[in-house]
Amino acid sequence: MRQLGSWVASAGVGFVRACVVAAVSMLVPAVWAAAVALGIWWGAGNPWSWVAPFMLVCVGTLALSRPVCRIVRFLVARWTATVIPAGYRQAGQVTRMSTGYWWNGFSYERTRRDALMDQRWRVRWSDPANWRDLRFTGIAPLTAGVVASLPPAGVAAAVLGLGRPEPAARLLGALGAVVAIASAPYAWRPIKPVAVRFLRPSPAMALADRVEELTAQRADTTVAQAAEIRRIERDLHDGAQARLVALGLSLATAGKLMESDPDQARALMRHAQAGATASLAELRGLIRGISPPVLSERGLVDAVRALALDIPLDVAVSADTPLRPDPPIESAVYFGIAELLTNAVRHAQASRAHISLTRDGTGIVAEVEDDGRGGADVRTGGGLAGLRRRLAVFDGTLEISSPPGGPTHVRMAVPCESL
């Protein structure tokens, strides 16, 4: 009985999905049929009767191709959890020049509105994805659309046939009901392979997207490296360098006072020794900020455990051992975990945290969860946005789940062939 109820539910859901797929995939053919009907109504005797149907076909197909493809991607992702990248060309930034004109990457315009409008149309009509979408709108009705039309067509045949007294009509209606019931759970499913095959970006489009992504990553890496160099220079100038200069002055003064005022000289020597100790501590802290010795000596897992001991939280660490990714990836994951734990202390007001370090089929996965107040999100210019950019250099991903009230769960995944 339970299996029968499950099958009935599956048939009901399948029937609704098949109707949706049939309606979406048949939108463009419906425009074509309307154009044919308009031409027939206009009459073949008028030599200009083909103009209006032809314009209707062209405008309707071009206007509906991209919305239809977007709806299909949404339906496939919603029903099957299969994400098909759109691969559409993205517009660049519109910049105002010193002459007062606006440059949109193609031409100069007097106003920003005109520049954006011109850019939008140029990008839209020069996008290679237009041909892919037009091809899909012609293929989908003949493949997934025909199959998805079986359940609604069967229901229509059943309603029309079973309501008539003729035996042939009743037989046709019964056959339509059988076709509708039998095909309902499965008729919508061909839309997935058809969409995956014909809606995914072409190799040239994927390569262009990859080039743009790598260009952006290179720019982010350059900016991050410059900022890190400035930070190190500032720390050396304001900290260790100032102390070492003071240390040199103290030693020079102590040398001059050694014979005339030994007590004052010894006091200056003690002061210089304290300054040297403080300078050494600052240099060690700076080195740990660049590359923690425990990370290079004992590996990622032990470095994270040592980091957990220094954080004012109850931190539990679970990890696969041994786990030694490449040094750049190891450093990126370590400092990512350090930043997440710092956010948990400063912003989330958490009391406990859990760190998990595991490996999957392609690389390393680090998960950090805390019991703080939640509400963390990626803001432009924020720490999480910077962390996402640093991981993207290695094709890594950052996923955040932080509802208001908590808990906050962050997952970092970085591919690494050395594992």
Side-chain angles (χ1 to χ4, degrees):
M1 189 65 182
R2 181 177 301 176
Q3 293 180 350
L4 178 61
S6 176
W7 188 88
V8 170
S10 176
V13 172
F15 178 80
V16 174
R17 291 181 177 180
C19 292
V20 173
V21 171
V24 172
S25 60
M26 294 298 179
L27 279 176
V28 174
V31 173
W32 300 344
V36 173
L38 178 61
I40 295 174
W41 173 79
W42 203 313
N46 188 342
W48 299 100
S49 62
W50 60 273
V51 176
F54 179 76
M55 294 297 296
L56 179 61
V57 168
C58 294
V59 174
T61 302
L62 291 175
L64 290 175
S65 60
R66 184 164 291 189
V68 166
C69 294
R70 284 175 171 169
I71 293 173
V72 170
R73 288 192 195 91
F74 171 77
L75 294 177
V76 171
R78 181 73 177 270
W79 294 342
T80 67
T82 301
V83 178
I84 304 175
Y88 295 122
R89 182 172 293 175
Q90 301 297 322
Q93 295 290 334
V94 175
T95 307
R96 188 171 188 179
M97 311 303 292
S98 59
T99 58
Y101 284 82
W102 293 83
W103 171 251
N104 59 13
F106 302 95
S107 63
Y108 293 96
E109 301 293 338
R110 290 184 177 274
T111 64
R112 186 174 186 272
R113 177 178 175 275
D114 293 341
L116 288 173
M117 184 177 299
D118 177 75
Q119 181 192 61
R120 187 180 302 112
W121 283 105
R122 287 177 182 268
V123 171
R124 173 67 185 273
W125 296 116
S126 63
D127 194 345
N130 292 330
W131 299 107
R132 179 201 60 194
D133 292 351
L134 290 173
R135 180 186 63 177
F136 179 79
T137 55
I139 293 174
L142 302 177
T143 53
V146 171
V147 178
S149 300
L150 288 177
V155 170
V159 171
L160 295 176
L162 295 178
R164 303 186 63 177
E166 295 86 355
R170 288 181 174 272
L171 179 60
L172 182 62
L175 181 61
V178 171
V179 170
I181 295 174
S183 63
Y186 316 104
W188 65 273
R189 297 183 183 275
I191 191 62
K192 175 185 174 181
V194 172
V196 171
R197 171 62 181 84
F198 294 104
L199 275 186
R200 62 186 177 185
S202 65
M205 296 163 61
L207 180 60
D209 292 341
R210 183 58 175 165
V211 170
E212 292 181 0
E213 180 183 356
L214 291 177
T215 302
Q217 290 177 2
R218 183 182 63 182
D220 290 338
T221 302
T222 303
V223 173
Q225 288 178 344
E228 186 68 13
I229 291 174
R230 288 195 300 269
R231 182 189 68 84
I232 295 172
E233 181 182 10
R234 184 177 61 253
D235 291 345
L236 288 173
H237 182 272
D238 298 340
Q241 178 178 331
R243 290 184 180 276
L244 290 175
V245 170
L247 175 62
L249 293 175
S250 298
L251 290 176
T253 305
K256 295 179 179 179
L257 295 176
M258 188 63 69
E259 296 181 358
S260 60
D261 193 351
D263 294 335
Q264 183 66 22
R266 281 192 288 270
L268 287 174
M269 293 291 290
R270 288 193 296 270
H271 180 72
Q273 183 180 6
T277 303
S279 299
L280 182 60
E282 288 187 2
L283 289 173
R284 287 175 175 171
L286 183 61
I287 292 173
R288 284 196 297 270
I290 300 173
S291 179
V294 67
L295 184 62
S296 56
E297 295 172 1
R298 302 179 59 183
L300 178 62
V301 176
D302 288 338
V304 171
R305 286 173 175 160
L307 175 65
L309 295 176
D310 295 334
I311 297 295
L313 290 177
D314 182 10
V315 182
V317 180
S318 61
D320 294 340
T321 53
L323 196 64
R324 292 304 302 264
D326 293 335
I329 296 177
E330 194 174 53
S331 179
V333 173
Y334 173 83
F335 285 108
I337 293 174
E339 183 165 348
L340 294 175
L341 291 178
T342 302
N343 290 343
V345 175
R346 291 182 179 177
H347 306 296
Q349 299 178 356
S351 59
R352 292 189 303 274
H354 179 264
I355 304 171
S356 173
L357 294 169
T358 58
R359 69 184 74 190
D360 59 5
T362 58
I364 183 172
V365 177
E367 297 179 89
V368 180
E369 183 174 0
D370 64 70
D371 62 349
R373 58 185 180 183
D377 59 351
V378 180
R379 301 182 182 89
T380 303
L384 293 178
L387 176 57
R388 175 169 287 176
R389 290 196 302 269
R390 291 195 298 271
L391 294 178
V393 174
F394 307 100
D395 288 335
T397 57
L398 178 71
E399 300 175 4
I400 302 174
S401 174
S402 182
T408 297
H409 182 271
V410 181
R411 183 179 188 270
M412 296 183 293
V414 184
C416 183
E417 295 183 357
S418 63
L419 290 176

